[in-house]
Amino acid sequence: MKRLITLMTVLLLSFATLTQSNASPFQQKPATHLKKDGTPDKRFKENKKPAGPLKKDGTPDMRHNANKKAAPVKK
């Protein structure tokens, strides 16, 4: 009888330990896909968002400063 109680206790403790280590199997993924160097991967839609307003066809509206590229400084 003591062996049975000991065996049941060991099984219960090992089961509790196994389930506790895998308590959160549904971990959230990061919001953006990243490359190995940590920069956003532009192959994915959520990383291709333009900085400024868009025209009706979906292209960036170049009348706004947020969509213009930085012009080189002339001397």
Side-chain angles (χ1 to χ4, degrees):
M1 189 69 176
K2 288 183 181 181
R3 286 185 182 177
L4 180 62
I5 293 173
T6 307
L7 179 65
M8 294 298 281
T9 306
V10 170
L11 288 175
L12 180 64
L13 289 175
S14 64
F15 179 73
T17 306
L18 289 175
T19 56
Q20 184 180 14
S21 64
N22 295 329
S24 60
F26 301 107
Q27 295 176 354
Q28 294 182 357
K29 294 182 181 179
T32 59
H33 296 88
L34 301 176
K35 292 190 257 180
K36 288 182 181 178
D37 60 357
T39 58
D41 195 345
K42 296 295 184 180
R43 294 178 292 171
F44 296 95
K45 187 177 182 179
E46 64 267 10
N47 295 334
K48 290 184 181 180
K49 294 178 185 174
L54 300 176
K55 294 191 277 186
K56 288 182 181 179
D57 62 356
T59 58
D61 193 351
M62 298 310 287
R63 295 178 291 173
H64 299 276
N65 286 336
N67 291 332
K68 293 180 184 177
K69 294 183 180 178
V73 178
K74 295 182 182 179
K75 291 183 180 181

